Amino acid sequence: MSVILEFKDFGFRYTGNKEFTVRDINFRIRHGEFVMLSGPSGGGKTTLARAMVGLIPHFYMGEMEGSVLIDGVSTKNKEVKEISRTIGYVFQNPDNQIFMTTVIRDVAFRLEFMDLPKEEMINRVRYILDKLGIADLMYRRVETLSGGEKQKVAIAGVLVAQPKVLILDEPTAYLSPKSALGLMKLLDRLNKELGITIILIDHRMDLAIQYVKRMIVLYNGRIVLDASTKDALETALDKLYGINIPTISRLYHIFKRWGYNPPSPIIEAEDLSRYILKEVVKA
Amino acid sequence: MILVEDLWFTYGEDFILKNINLEIGKGEFIAIMGDNGAGKTTLVKHFNGLLKPSKGKVIVDDLDTSKASIYDLSRKVALVFQYPEKMFFSETVWDEVNFALKNFGFDEDYRIHRINKVLALLWLDGLKDRSPFTLSGGEQRRLALACALAWDPDYIVLDEPTAGQDKYQREILTKIIQVLVEQEKSVIIVTHDIEFVAELKPRVVLMYNGEIVADGAAEDILSNEKLLRSSGLYPPSVIDVSRPLFDKGIIKKPIINIHDFIAALEMLARG
C-alpha cells in the first residue's frame, strides 16, 4: 500500500521552551494501517499528533525541523482545513469536540462548509451514525448522552468528512470498560470495512492488543521503538516505556524467565491457562 | 465516619440513587465501582454536601450534610474530579495550593508549612514555580490532589484517578494512596479500573443502576464474574488465567492480580 503519512527528520521546539519537544522523528504510515503511538506522558505523542493534522506548524508557534508529508505533500504547503479532509482528529475529551445542541447538528457541522444540498448532508450524517450503530441518537440533545455515546458522536463528527486517517488521542481514558471495548471493536471495523487508517495514541495496551498491528514508542521526544505488536511484546518489553503492558504478556515473560516457552505474548487467556496446566503445574 | 442511611436521590424524575446504606470508617480505603451511569459520582457528591439527599441522611462525623455548610463539610471531605486542568487559574503551582488554603483563612506560617508538605507528598516540590498550565497531564492531576489535601481533610474522594494515567503515574498514585492510608485518612476512589483495584485490594462497593449490589473484600467481589458482568464490568484479566486452575482444584480460590498469581505458582512449583 502507498504511504499516506511520512515524518522526515522532524523536530519541534515550542516558542518559550529551551529544548526540542521531539527530534529526529522518521517513520512512514501506509494506507490501511492500524498503529498505536505510545510512550509515557510528556514523551511527545501529542506534539506528533498536532504535526499530523497541521496544527504544527500552522497554529503552534515554534521552530520546526524536517517535514511532515501527507500524500507526499508537505503540511507546510497545505492549510489546516485542507489537511482535515484527509486526517481526522478525535480529542481525548469529547466535551471539547462537541459543541452544537443536538447530535444531528453537531455531526453535520463539518459539512456546512462543503456547500452540499441539505438532503445530501442529512444522508451523510445518517450513513455515518448508522455505521457507528447510533442512528437512534440522531435527534437527541447532546447533554442527555452518556460518556460512551458522546465519544461516538465526536467520532461521527470527524468521520462524516470522510477522512482517510483517523487519529484518536487517548479515546478510552474516560470510557467505561464496556464502552472502551466497544470503541476498539468499532475502530477495527472502520479499519477493515472502510479501509480507514487508524492511529491510536494511548498508554494502555490491554484493550487494543488484538487490533493494533504496529507500535511506535516515543520517549523523551525520540522514537525508541517501531515494531510489530508481537515483536514489541516479545523482544522489546524494556522499550515500552510508561506503557501499561497487558497482564497476559507480563505472565508470558515471567514464564520465559522461569525457563518455560509459552507460544506467544499475544495469546488468549484460556490458551495460556491450558499451557500453564500442561507445562508449569503439570496437572 | 461517613454514614449513609437510606439515601435516595433524584433530580426530579427517576431516582438516580436508591436505598443507599453505607458506612465508611476513618482510615478505610474503598473503591466505589460500577459502569458509567451507575450513580458512583452522584453518591460521592453527597459526602461533602454538593448534593443533598432527596430522602434519607448522610452524616460526616457529627455533621448532617443536609444542614451543615459546604464550608464545614469541605474541611473534612475533599473531592478531586476528573478534569483538573479546568480548575487552575494561578500563575504558579505554589500559588495554586496557597489559594486553596487562603480560602479557609489559615495564617501564613501554617500555609507555608502545609504547602511544602503536600508538594513533597505529591512529588511536586521541584515544580513549585512552574505555571500549572505547562505541567503534564499527570502532574496536573497531582496538583489538583495537592490543592485538595492542603487543608488536611480526613476523607479524600478521587474520581477516576487512573483515567489516562501512564504506568509511572499509576505507580506514583499507588504510593500516595498508601501514604494517605498510613496517615489514617479515608481514601475513597470512584473507578471502573478493575486492574488497579485488583492490585491494591481495597474494600469494594459495587453499584449498578443507582443501587449498591455488593459491598465486601476485593478478592470476593472481583472474582465473582457473574456479579461483575451483570454490573457492566469485566473481571480482571488474571481471573481468566487463574480460573481453570481453580476449577481443577489446583489453587484454593480464583486469583485477581498478577503478583498473587505468580506467588501461588511459585508455591506450586516448590511443591
Side-chain angles (χ1 to χ4, degrees):
Chain A
M1 284 296 254
S2 61
V3 174
I4 188 159
L5 188 66
E6 178 168 10
F7 279 71
K8 261 183 164 168
D9 300 321
F10 175 80
F12 193 74
R13 183 180 63 79
Y14 290 95
T15 298
N17 284 6
K18 282 193 207 88
E19 311 272 327
F20 272 72
T21 299
V22 294
R23 214 162 196 189
D24 301 329
I25 303 294
N26 284 289
F27 65 89
R28 294 167 161 188
I29 289 175
R30 291 169 192 283
H31 277 281
E33 280 199 79
F34 194 143
V35 183
M36 186 162 176
L37 179 60
S38 199
S41 295
K45 303 189 294 291
T46 302
T47 299
L48 287 199
R50 285 172 182 159
M52 290 178 199
V53 295
L55 291 173
I56 290 172
H58 295 297
F59 184 77
Y60 287 92
M61 306 287 277
E63 181 187 344
M64 176 169 148
E65 295 177 341
S67 54
V68 179
L69 309 176
I70 295 170
D71 278 332
V73 180
S74 166
T75 53
K76 282 181 197 152
N77 305 324
K78 282 186 175 209
E79 282 182 52
V80 172
K81 203 172 90 184
E82 199 186 337
I83 294 170
S84 74
R85 286 201 202 116
T86 311
I87 312 228
Y89 185 56
V90 180
F91 289 83
Q92 183 176 125
N93 178 357
D95 287 329
N96 290 342
Q97 192 140 15
I98 299 174
F99 51 92
M100 299 298 277
T101 49
T102 61
V103 170
I104 176 164
R105 292 182 68 176
D106 193 82
V107 176
F109 178 77
R110 240 161 238 252
L111 298 177
E112 290 191 9
F113 308 102
M114 294 189 181
D115 286 329
L116 295 172
K118 197 175 171 204
E119 195 77 348
E120 169 70 14
M121 271 173 65
I122 293 175
N123 282 340
R124 278 216 203 173
V125 171
R126 185 169 290 130
Y127 172 80
I128 209 70
L129 293 181
D130 205 44
K131 271 282 166 206
L132 301 187
I134 49 169
D136 54 319
L137 301 180
M138 189 144 164
Y139 297 102
R140 280 269 294 276
R141 289 189 67 80
V142 164
E143 70 271 16
T144 66
L145 303 176
S146 74
E149 289 168 342
K150 273 190 197 166
Q151 182 74 263
K152 283 185 192 161
V153 170
I155 292 172
V158 174
L159 282 181
V160 77
Q162 302 176 333
K164 292 182 196 153
V165 181
L166 193 59
I167 303 170
L168 303 102
D169 196 352
E170 292 180 30
T172 61
Y174 295 100
L175 293 183
S176 72
K178 234 189 218 166
S179 310
L181 196 65
L183 177 67
M184 285 304 137
K185 287 183 177 156
L186 171 68
L187 294 180
D188 186 48
R189 246 181 48 221
L190 294 173
N191 179 245
K192 286 189 177 129
E193 288 174 19
L194 303 180
I196 294 175
T197 307
I198 309 278
I199 301 173
L200 179 65
I201 303 177
D202 214 331
H203 24 64
R204 279 178 70 175
M205 279 191 80
D206 52 343
L207 287 167
I209 184 171
Q210 296 177 47
Y211 311 116
V212 170
K213 299 290 178 296
R214 174 179 168 195
M215 300 278 306
I216 298 176
V217 180
L218 270 175
Y219 182 64
N220 280 338
R222 301 288 207 281
I223 290 180
V224 292
L225 181 71
D226 183 351
S228 76
T229 307
K230 186 162 176 285
D231 284 351
L233 286 169
E234 205 162 273
T235 63
L237 221 54
D238 58 325
K239 301 228 173 68
L240 297 176
Y241 295 99
I243 300 168
N244 296 307
I245 313 268
T247 306
I248 303 284
S249 308
R250 285 164 64 193
L251 283 171
Y252 167 89
H253 282 278
I254 290 166
F255 291 134
K256 277 245 160 182
R257 268 209 311 276
W258 287 0
Y260 296 101
N261 208 358
S264 163
I266 307 173
I267 181 177
E268 295 288 333
E270 301 78 64
D271 294 333
L272 183 60
S273 227
R274 216 166 293 134
Y275 180 83
I276 293 171
L277 283 169
K278 198 168 144 229
E279 301 292 336
V280 183
V281 298
K282 301 211 167 72
Chain B
M1 184 167 69
I2 296 179
L3 187 63
V4 181
E5 271 182 355
D6 192 28
L7 165 65
W8 293 68
F9 180 77
T10 173
Y11 282 109
E13 286 173 26
D14 300 331
F15 279 97
I16 298 169
L17 295 176
K18 296 168 219 168
N19 189 29
I20 304 286
N21 288 283
L22 186 64
E23 229 181 274
I24 299 173
K26 277 245 164 80
E28 257 202 285
F29 175 29
I30 295 189
I32 299 179
M33 303 199 71
D35 201 357
N36 283 359
K40 309 183 295 284
T41 302
T42 307
L43 172 59
V44 298
K45 280 182 178 169
H46 280 81
F47 294 169
N48 73 343
L50 273 180
L51 294 175
K52 313 281 186 197
S54 302
K55 196 178 147 232
K57 266 197 289 204
V58 178
I59 311 282
V60 179
D61 295 339
D62 49 353
L63 299 174
D64 183 332
T65 62
S66 296
K67 294 169 193 145
S69 68
I70 296 242
Y71 178 91
D72 287 336
L73 286 165
S74 304
R75 282 287 309 263
K76 288 179 180 292
V77 184
L79 254 63
V80 184
F81 289 110
Q82 290 184 19
Y83 303 112
E85 66 279 11
K86 294 201 169 158
M87 66 171 245
F88 299 134
F89 52 86
S90 299
E91 278 175 31
T92 66
V93 165
W94 178 277
D95 287 346
E96 195 69 56
V97 183
N98 194 19
F99 178 83
L101 284 166
K102 275 185 181 164
N103 268 340
F104 284 111
F106 293 114
D107 66 43
E108 198 178 347
D109 285 349
Y110 181 77
R111 292 204 309 264
I112 291 170
H113 162 73
R114 285 300 304 172
I115 298 169
N116 280 321
K117 201 162 172 175
V118 291
L119 290 184
L121 172 67
L122 292 170
W123 306 31
L124 290 167
D125 29 2
L127 303 172
K128 63 182 188 328
D129 298 321
R130 283 269 295 274
S131 158
F133 302 99
T134 65
L135 301 179
S136 75
E139 289 161 353
Q140 287 186 337
R141 286 292 188 88
R142 297 210 299 277
L143 176 56
L145 185 52
C147 294
L149 292 178
W151 59 86
D152 208 14
D154 289 328
Y155 304 93
I156 297 126
V157 183
L158 308 173
D159 198 359
E160 295 293 353
T162 61
Q165 302 284 284
D166 68 19
K167 193 178 109 198
Y168 306 133
Q169 289 156 5
R170 287 164 74 104
E171 286 165 4
I172 293 173
L173 180 69
T174 301
K175 291 200 179 103
I176 291 167
I177 290 175
Q178 282 162 350
V179 171
L180 290 171
V181 172
E182 273 164 27
Q183 293 175 354
E184 291 279 290
K185 303 288 182 193
S186 306
V187 179
I188 300 143
I189 60 172
V190 170
T191 185
H192 35 55
D193 188 337
I194 202 104
E195 304 291 348
F196 189 70
V197 173
E199 225 153 277
L200 300 187
K201 294 194 275 188
R203 170 181 156 198
V204 174
V205 171
L206 182 63
M207 294 184 72
Y208 183 67
N209 201 12
E211 292 178 82
I212 292 178
V213 291
D215 181 348
E219 270 164 337
D220 296 331
I221 293 177
L222 267 48
S223 60
N224 189 337
E225 277 177 74
K226 217 174 132 196
L227 176 68
L228 288 172
R229 287 184 198 276
S230 67
S231 310
L233 299 177
Y234 301 106
S237 45
V238 169
I239 282 284
D240 293 332
V241 188
S242 69
R243 166 89 48 200
L245 277 69
F246 166 73
D247 289 343
K248 285 211 177 339
I250 294 166
I251 48 177
K252 284 192 198 71
K253 55 182 178 179
I255 294 171
I256 60 172
N257 77 40
I258 190 166
H259 308 291
D260 294 350
F261 187 55
I262 290 302
L265 288 180
E266 275 178 333
M267 291 280 284
L268 286 170
R270 275 195 220 116

